[in-house]
Structures are given as C-alpha cells and as structure tokens.
Amino acid sequence: MVAGSRIHRCRVIHRIAVRPSSGKRQAAAAAGLVNRLRGARIRDVARRGKYLLLEMDRGCVAMHFRLDGQLLWFDTRQTRGQVDVAFELDKGTLGFTDRRHFGRVLWLRRPEDLPGIAALGVDPLASEFTAARLLEILTGSSRPLKQLLLDQTKVAGLGNIYSSEALWRAKLHPERAANRVDAPTARRLHAAIVRVLARALECCSDPAPDFRDPEWWFQGLEKMLRVYGREGKPCRRCSAHIRRVKQGGRSSFFCPRCQS
DNA sequence: CCTGCTACCTGATGGC
DNA sequence: TGCCATCAGGTAGCAG
C-alpha cells in the first residue's frame, strides 16, 4: 500500500520530530524534508535495526520510534489527533506520531549518512547472524551480557524487553561478563534471541493488538513475556522469585536460581 | 577504541 | 486532594 505510492505532500506539524540530533536547525530540517518529498515516489519500505526506511526514488526517509513513536493510517487528509509528521499519499495519509517526542523523522541521501545507521551491528533476523558470529561478538567484550545485547552496534534491534527475555530463555545471568561464555553457551543464547524475536512477531500478527492503545504490549506480548516486568513473581521455570537490577540505568529482570 | 553518564520529553504512578 | 519524586520500550554526545 505504501510501497509504490507517491507522496503528494509532506506536512511537518511538530518540528521537534524532524530535529537532527546534532545542530539545532529545526526550521531548515523541516523545509528540507517537505521539499525533498514533494511528489516523490516511495520505491520500497525497509528496516535497519530499529530504523524504518522509506526508500524514495532519490534519497530516503529514516524514522526512529524510540519509546513511544508510531505510524497511523488515515483514509483522508484529515489526521485526527496529535500527528507530528503527515505523509499524504495516493490513498490516504501516513502519520508519524510520538506523544513523548523522542522519535525522529529524517531525510537522508543514503541511509549510511546517519551515523546511528552506519554503525549498526548484525541483524539478528539475517542469515549472517549465526552462533559463531555471536560468539565472536561476546568474546570481544567484558561488559555484562545484558548491556552488550542492548548495544546496537553489536546486534541491531534488541531492546530492553527482548534482551531480558533472551537471557532468561538461555538461562544466562544478565550481569555475567560477555567474554565468559563458551561456544555451547553462545549457541544457546543465539537460539534464544532468534526464538524471542520469532515469538514476538507471532504475538503481534495473529491477531495484531491495537497499537494505538499505549498498553498494546499487554494484549500482544504478554503471552510471550516470561520474565520482563515480573519482579517478585515466581519464575515460570523454577518458581524462584524474579529479581530486578539496574544496569546502565535500565531495569533487567532475571531469575536468581536458574540464570547463571 | 571502549565505557559510563546525562540529556532529551511526556505521562503515569505511588508515597506522603 | 495535591504535590513531588520516580519511572518507562532508546540513543546521541560527551568525558574519562
């Protein structure tokens, strides 16, 4: 529906959404996006790590949803509610919205022009992500496993929830040093990461939760979450109490008995 | 190069 | 009830 259509007009309603991370020329960024996209055709839609790309005939639009951002579809040019950037297409309007205004919409000549995209590590859903590749990544760092999994320049796409979930499935303690993992253990973690992502995709597609509901992951993901957000509750494997620790300012959930 | 800290925003929640 | 502190799915920039 989006791939192949033309952007008749792009409207920037809330300029903060197009503000580049460095430099404060919001007005120029907004004008640039609007001008570049007038009449441009969307060739394809792609993902790189947590970035969504609209690949245009010339250049591309990179979106990052951070914590709260999302895309909404409207059948007309009316965008009900608080849309930050509106892309008016042939059959309706695609709206980028983010009540917290952490998310971004940027025009790029090439995706790699954005340092955050250029630096992305291996995609866990791609064929290059193998147990051997993961072992290489792990042995190259003494950081705690949880923090390494969150590092987008190592593995691109895992966030706080799925990192905790993957470590639980692999029975690995989030604070264990990454380079203290052997090949069989790396294989276990590799399988756990792939499994968690596959489960998450299933849970968000049949049936898809209502993503407009801020609590959507309760309807969609709750079925698959084994440890995230379960502090004090019994481990689903061994019934010990789930604990929470802070690592680099983020909460990690784990079972103190069966994760080591 | 690697690592850790803070800023960026808004809204929900819980303690007093 | 009201007020304030704390917390939330992420990442860039900077200092050490």
Side-chain angles (χ1 to χ4, degrees):
Chain A
M1 169 137 73
V2 168
S5 42
R6 196 166 290 281
I7 298 179
H8 297 288
R9 182 169 71 141
C10 166
R11 286 186 295 135
V12 176
I13 296 137
H14 205 316
R15 279 195 326 203
I16 193 173
V18 303
R19 183 168 71 190
S21 54
S22 58
K24 44 267 91 279
R25 307 201 52 214
Q26 285 182 57
L33 187 73
V34 167
N35 290 332
R36 297 284 191 181
L37 294 183
R38 186 171 294 116
R41 201 180 67 92
I42 302 171
R43 245 191 325 110
D44 213 344
V45 179
R47 177 187 63 78
R48 298 260 197 117
K50 298 178 191 173
Y51 290 87
L52 186 71
L53 302 180
L54 303 183
E55 296 175 341
M56 313 301 299
D57 281 340
R58 240 184 107 261
C60 73
V61 177
M63 302 183 216
H64 198 297
F65 302 96
R66 297 282 179 105
L67 306 186
D68 282 330
Q70 60 178 325
L71 286 173
L72 299 174
W73 178 256
F74 303 89
D75 289 327
T76 67
R77 281 197 303 239
Q78 322 280 355
T79 53
R80 291 254 151 267
Q82 51 299 34
V83 165
D84 292 341
V85 181
F87 302 96
E88 295 175 4
L89 309 183
D90 303 320
K91 295 169 189 146
T93 302
L94 190 63
F96 177 94
T97 175
D98 183 357
R99 57 180 186 164
R100 206 163 156 188
H101 299 132
F102 270 21
R104 288 295 181 267
V105 177
L106 307 166
W107 187 87
L108 304 168
R109 202 168 62 77
R110 296 168 312 165
E112 306 76 40
D113 289 348
L114 190 69
I117 291 180
L120 287 174
V122 62
D123 189 300
L125 296 181
S127 56
E128 307 90 84
F129 184 63
T130 59
R133 181 83 189 80
L134 179 62
L135 180 63
E136 268 176 41
I137 292 167
L138 296 176
T139 52
S141 170
S142 59
R143 300 166 79 184
L145 282 171
K146 172 72 172 350
Q147 290 186 253
L148 195 72
L149 291 185
L150 284 177
D151 186 340
Q152 303 298 302
T153 69
K154 302 297 191 295
V155 179
L158 294 178
N160 204 36
I161 294 179
Y162 299 153
S163 299
S164 271
E165 292 294 317
L167 290 171
W168 182 87
R169 283 176 188 259
K171 300 186 181 176
L172 286 169
H173 197 291
E175 290 174 317
R176 176 144 151 199
N179 57 12
R180 292 201 47 260
V181 163
D182 59 13
T185 312
R187 215 169 300 134
R188 225 164 68 221
L189 181 55
H190 174 267
I193 290 170
V194 172
R195 181 98 186 97
V196 162
L197 294 178
R199 285 289 294 130
L201 279 174
E202 279 170 31
C203 290
C204 289
S205 45
D206 70 320
D210 179 1
F211 293 106
R212 291 164 301 182
D213 181 343
E215 296 286 312
W216 68 264
W217 65 88
F218 253 14
Q219 321 158 30
L221 291 185
E222 203 183 24
K223 296 192 288 284
M224 67 149 294
L225 296 183
R226 290 287 164 272
V227 72
Y228 183 84
R230 303 194 67 247
E231 182 181 19
K233 295 187 178 147
C235 173
R236 294 199 195 271
R237 213 164 27 212
C238 77
S239 77
H241 288 235
I242 297 299
R243 297 220 341 241
R244 172 164 74 138
V245 288
K246 284 273 181 198
Q247 293 182 278
R250 323 292 308 282
S251 285
S252 297
F253 298 87
F254 69 102
C255 171
R257 186 188 293 166
C258 62
Q259 288 179 253
S260 58

